[in-house]
Amino acid sequence: MFSTTGLFSKVECPEAAQCQLPSCLFSHSISPKENLIEESSVPAITASTPNVDSANIDSRPKKRRRINTDDGRVVNSSKVVWSDTSTTYISSSPTDGSKSKSTIKECLPKSTTRTISPPPLRKKSRSVETGRAPTGLSTTPHYEVDLVNGSTARERRPGESLNPRMLKKPPASHVVRLKLLKLLHEQMLRLNKEVQTSTDSAKGALELSEAELITAALDEEFKTARDDPQVYTNVLKLRIVALKRMKLEEWKKERLKQIAQDFPKKIPPEVKKSFATLDTGLSSIEELLLLPKLITAQDSLSKHGYVTCLPSEAEIEQARKGVDTSQGWEQCDRCKSRFQVFPGRRADDGALTSGGSCTYHFGKPRRPAKEKSDTGHKDTVHSCCGQQIGTPGCVTAESHVFKVSENKRLALIMPFKKTTNIGSITPENAVCFDCEMGYTTLGMELIRLTATAWPDGKEILDVLVRPLGEVLDLNSRFSGVWPKHFNDAVQHTEGSPPPELSNETGEQERRLSMVNSPSEARELLLTHLTTTTPLIGHALENDLNSARIIHPAIIDTVILYPHPRGLPIRHGLKMLVKKHLNRDIQMGGAQGHDSKEDARAAGELVRLKVKETWKAMQAEGWTVSRGEFSPPLAGGPIPAPGISVPESGELRLKRLYP
């Protein structure tokens, strides 16, 4: 290692007489008697010293260290005993208690008697202050040590600070982004204070906390910086000017839209306000005159699953034989497993189905949207839980359920009926129609029927329906019908609405009336229909099949707004309303849908299509005046079949919708 220079020749060897090195660097001239601490001494045990056995002493590390005392003497560290409870040195030389204490005190260096100060607190990083980890850093939570109690506690992260979020390629310098962010936050803060000082009953849901305001400003600035980097500065400046000029009512509407997107289940009833009515540029009579242009041709209805003719007796008899042969065995509509149904209950134990509980995914399969950073393939997942196709279900139901789709078997349960002009007491000009279905021992049956007038959306009929079979599952997540609705329902009486019912919070809830069978509900609807009355809805083949109705004048939003990839793929009503009308429906979450809301939404989509049709006619040169449409060429109003003279809009309306 290095050559000796005699620097240790005057220093006593720590091992003294026990040293076995042939050429030791230390001095061995001092006799063992003059050593400060004797080799043969026994450690002194005091009242404050814990019991230390020989095994524990021998297990200590035997590293030799020199300890310099205050008077310059040297103490061999191997003669010092370390206590388990405190950093105390106990000398091994004295045998009496009085001398032991003084020797211990003399042997201790200054560094062991000084008060130990705690380590300095580490300065919190920006990621802790903002609650967001910087890009590229680990997001693993770290812990702080409690210096007083000696315990570790997870650090609480406060909200974000008003500082632009990091981007790999920022559209502007940090100074510019920070300045625009502060101006944006300033205008949002001003509008939020106006909400707090307003007298609106829903201000509690509309106002934002300080942390939420900062997050809202950060979200908007970050979205603009990420999506529109080329025009980032201009977009934000225009947004700041718009907020500066924005009135309180406009800010409330903007907040309502944001609440509907972020927290659809938490919207209080008083916040749910109607959106602006769609303006088609036509009167109600003129809209009804153009409506027949949207009726689907009869030959096209069969392709979309509509029943256009009554099943024959031979087909119904064939379906009866098939049901008898199957002995009640069906395939579950949810988990696709086989089970047996017992209409009227099994005699042995009263069960309605076999196979026990049903575990399934209620969400439809979908392929996750790819991000810019994604390069690999993404598997199809269930929209309910995000799990891949083929994984065990995320929801468990009490029993399996099934659905009947064949027309002949549907007619076996309840026969179909065509609409006629006979028996229509109060026919409407056009009707929006929607049904809710639940699972019974006879398949999927009608449990709620709703009809509204078009184009004003006035309620015509809304009743609960007692199904023919025993109920297996009301399908409440989608139907919106729960057992409490049947418990609170009253018998339907024509012309008298059911009384209201007070809920747990004291608010008045509207009761639904109930009819005793699906055929009774069908007869109520047929009193408002004729063969020429346009029936409007979304995927009406399911609703008409559940009510066993055959109707020729169908306006289906699935047909009006087809999917680009064609059948059997189709758009959902919720997506169509959001895309074309910028409105949110079916926001009840697990509470289910509202058939009245769905019927009116389908009617609004048809009104939008009427607006587009009229716009195309105007481009061709058509005009309208006092309910009369004039073609592009001279000749007056639209010629009607069998009528050679012009007629008024009201007369033509009565002829088209008798």
Side-chain angles (χ1 to χ4, degrees):
M1 295 174 59
F2 54 87
S3 59
T4 178
T5 57
L7 297 177
F8 301 98
S9 59
K10 296 183 179 180
V11 179
E12 178 191 3
C13 180
E15 293 295 330
Q18 296 181 354
C19 182
Q20 299 178 358
L21 295 176
S23 57
C24 184
L25 300 176
F26 298 96
S27 172
H28 288 268
S29 58
I30 303 176
S31 61
K33 295 181 180 181
E34 298 178 6
N35 287 341
L36 179 62
I37 301 176
E38 296 290 338
E39 296 283 351
S40 60
S41 60
V42 180
I45 305 300
T46 62
S48 61
T49 305
N51 295 329
V52 182
D53 54 6
S54 59
N56 291 336
I57 296 176
D58 295 340
S59 63
R60 295 286 181 182
K62 297 183 178 181
K63 183 178 179 180
R64 300 189 296 269
R65 294 189 304 164
R66 292 177 63 251
I67 301 178
N68 296 326
T69 60
D70 296 341
D71 54 358
R73 291 177 296 174
V74 178
V75 180
N76 190 350
S77 61
S78 62
K79 310 301 187 300
V80 178
V81 179
W82 294 77
S83 171
D84 286 341
T85 58
S86 61
T87 312
T88 305
Y89 293 93
I90 304 177
S91 174
S92 57
S93 56
T95 55
D96 58 318
S98 60
K99 188 175 181 181
S100 172
K101 292 180 181 180
S102 61
T103 307
I104 292 172
K105 188 173 181 180
E106 292 176 357
C107 293
L108 291 177
K110 291 182 179 181
S111 60
T112 60
T113 58
R114 254 195 338 247
T115 304
I116 301 176
S117 61
L121 293 175
R122 185 173 59 181
K123 186 177 180 180
K124 293 182 180 180
S125 63
R126 180 169 297 180
S127 62
V128 176
E129 295 173 358
T130 60
R132 182 181 293 271
T135 305
L137 299 183
S138 173
T139 58
T140 304
H142 56 276
Y143 299 85
E144 279 188 350
V145 179
D146 189 347
L147 298 175
V148 178
N149 301 323
S151 61
T152 60
R154 187 163 185 170
E155 183 179 78
R156 296 181 59 188
R157 296 184 176 184
E160 293 182 280
S161 63
L162 199 62
N163 195 29
R165 294 170 183 164
M166 296 183 66
L167 277 171
K168 186 178 293 185
K169 294 181 179 180
S173 64
H174 180 78
V175 176
V176 174
R177 291 184 65 191
L178 181 60
K179 183 178 180 180
L180 292 174
L181 178 62
K182 288 183 177 180
L183 292 174
L184 188 67
H185 176 264
E186 181 182 350
Q187 296 304 321
M188 289 184 174
L189 182 62
R190 176 187 65 83
L191 292 168
N192 191 62
K193 288 182 179 179
E194 293 184 10
V195 173
Q196 293 174 350
T197 56
S198 65
T199 58
D200 192 349
S201 59
K203 69 177 184 179
L206 296 175
E207 64 181 351
L208 295 169
S209 63
E210 183 178 353
E212 290 173 339
L213 273 174
I214 294 176
T215 302
L218 287 172
D219 288 341
E220 188 162 346
E221 190 275 339
F222 179 79
K223 184 177 182 300
T224 306
R226 181 193 60 192
D227 299 340
D228 303 311
Q230 303 297 332
V231 290
Y232 163 79
T233 306
N234 292 338
V235 171
L236 275 189
K237 286 181 178 179
L238 291 174
R239 175 61 173 165
I240 293 169
V241 172
L243 289 175
K244 193 172 183 180
R245 297 176 180 175
M246 188 176 289
K247 302 299 182 182
L248 179 59
E249 293 302 323
E250 298 176 0
W251 175 252
K252 287 182 179 179
K253 291 181 181 179
E254 190 171 308
R255 285 286 302 124
L256 285 173
K257 292 180 182 179
Q258 188 64 34
I259 291 174
Q261 292 175 0
D262 296 343
F263 308 103
K265 301 178 184 177
K266 300 182 180 180
I267 303 179
E270 61 270 15
V271 179
K272 294 182 178 179
K273 300 181 180 179
S274 60
F275 293 91
T277 306
L278 177 65
D279 184 15
T280 61
L282 299 170
S283 64
S284 298
I285 294 178
E286 294 165 351
E287 290 179 6
L288 287 166
L289 289 173
L290 285 184
L291 190 60
K293 288 180 172 291
L294 305 180
I295 295 178
T296 306
Q298 288 295 304
D299 55 353
S300 299
L301 290 177
S302 300
K303 296 190 305 182
H304 292 82
Y306 284 89
V307 179
T308 56
C309 59
L310 295 173
S312 62
E313 292 295 333
E315 291 176 335
I316 296 176
E317 183 62 28
Q318 183 183 5
R320 181 180 289 107
K321 292 180 180 179
V323 172
D324 295 340
T325 305
S326 65
Q327 299 181 354
W329 285 96
E330 303 288 349
Q331 184 181 40
C332 182
D333 191 37
R334 291 169 170 171
C335 66
K336 307 306 177 184
S337 61
R338 300 285 294 178
F339 72 104
Q340 195 173 10
V341 186
F342 308 105
R345 297 189 180 275
R346 185 164 54 186
D348 298 339
D349 53 1
L352 294 174
T353 60
S354 65
S357 59
C358 175
T359 303
Y360 66 99
H361 294 281
F362 63 86
K364 295 181 179 180
R366 63 175 178 84
R367 191 176 297 275
K370 281 193 174 183
E371 303 290 342
K372 292 183 180 180
S373 58
D374 295 337
T375 57
H377 171 75
K378 283 195 171 183
D379 295 329
T380 304
V381 298
H382 293 281
S383 59
C384 51
C385 58
Q387 297 182 10
Q388 294 184 3
I389 301 297
T391 56
C394 59
V395 176
T396 302
E398 293 183 0
S399 64
H400 298 283
V401 295
F402 71 101
K403 178 182 178 180
V404 177
S405 301
E406 292 182 339
N407 303 338
K408 55 186 178 182
R409 189 172 172 186
L410 289 173
L412 176 64
I413 300 171
M414 187 176 81
F416 282 86
K417 187 174 183 180
K418 288 186 176 182
T419 54
T420 62
N421 295 328
I422 302 174
S424 299
I425 302 174
T426 56
E428 298 290 338
N429 295 327
V431 175
C432 298
F433 173 57
D434 189 68
C435 292
E436 302 296 346
M437 284 77 77
Y439 293 102
T440 71
T441 54
L442 298 179
M444 182 170 273
E445 289 195 66
L446 176 68
I447 57 175
R448 183 179 178 182
L449 187 147
T450 305
T452 61
W454 190 91
D456 56 7
K458 181 181 178 182
E459 179 182 326
I460 299 175
L461 183 66
D462 190 11
V463 293
L464 292 175
V465 183
R466 189 189 301 275
L468 298 176
E470 293 85 355
V471 175
L472 298 177
D473 192 334
L474 289 175
N475 202 25
S476 302
R477 182 184 296 275
F478 299 101
S479 67
V481 179
W482 297 81
K484 64 177 182 180
H485 293 141
F486 279 97
N487 295 334
D488 299 335
V490 296
Q491 194 66 27
H492 176 74
T493 304
E494 190 68 29
S496 59
E500 293 184 345
L501 179 68
S502 298
N503 58 14
E504 298 177 355
T505 60
E507 299 178 355
Q508 296 295 320
E509 285 186 351
R510 176 177 173 270
R511 282 182 174 179
L512 291 174
S513 57
M514 182 174 62
V515 295
N516 294 325
S517 66
S519 59
E520 185 177 345
R522 177 178 63 185
E523 294 302 322
L524 290 175
L525 178 64
L526 292 179
T527 58
H528 301 278
L529 298 178
T530 64
T531 54
T532 57
T533 304
L535 196 59
I536 301 169
H538 182 81
L540 276 179
E541 75 278 5
N542 298 318
D543 302 321
L544 291 175
N545 289 347
S546 65
R548 308 297 195 274
I549 296 176
I550 299 177
H551 188 69
I554 298 296
I555 301 178
D556 195 339
T557 53
V558 169
I559 303 175
L560 292 180
Y561 300 90
H563 196 279
R565 296 167 60 184
L567 294 174
I569 307 174
R570 55 177 65 183
H571 290 302
L573 180 62
K574 180 177 181 179
M575 192 282 295
L576 289 175
V577 173
K578 181 63 177 177
K579 178 181 179 180
H580 297 284
L581 302 176
N582 195 24
R583 302 181 187 177
D584 294 302
I585 63 170
Q586 300 176 358
M587 305 300 288
Q591 295 301 315
H593 303 172
D594 184 0
S595 56
K596 189 188 300 183
E597 179 187 47
D598 292 350
R600 288 171 174 168
E604 287 297 291
L605 286 172
V606 172
R607 291 188 69 233
L608 177 62
K609 187 60 70 172
V610 169
K611 179 181 179 180
E612 295 175 356
T613 303
W614 170 234
K615 186 177 180 180
M617 292 173 62
Q618 283 181 311
E620 296 175 357
W622 287 79
T623 59
V624 61
S625 176
R626 298 180 181 180
E628 296 181 356
F629 289 91
S630 299
L633 300 177
I638 302 175
I643 299 178
S644 58
V645 296
E647 57 182 345
S648 65
E650 293 184 1
L651 288 176
R652 189 181 300 109
L653 187 61
K654 291 181 180 179
R655 180 176 55 79
L656 293 175
Y657 309 107

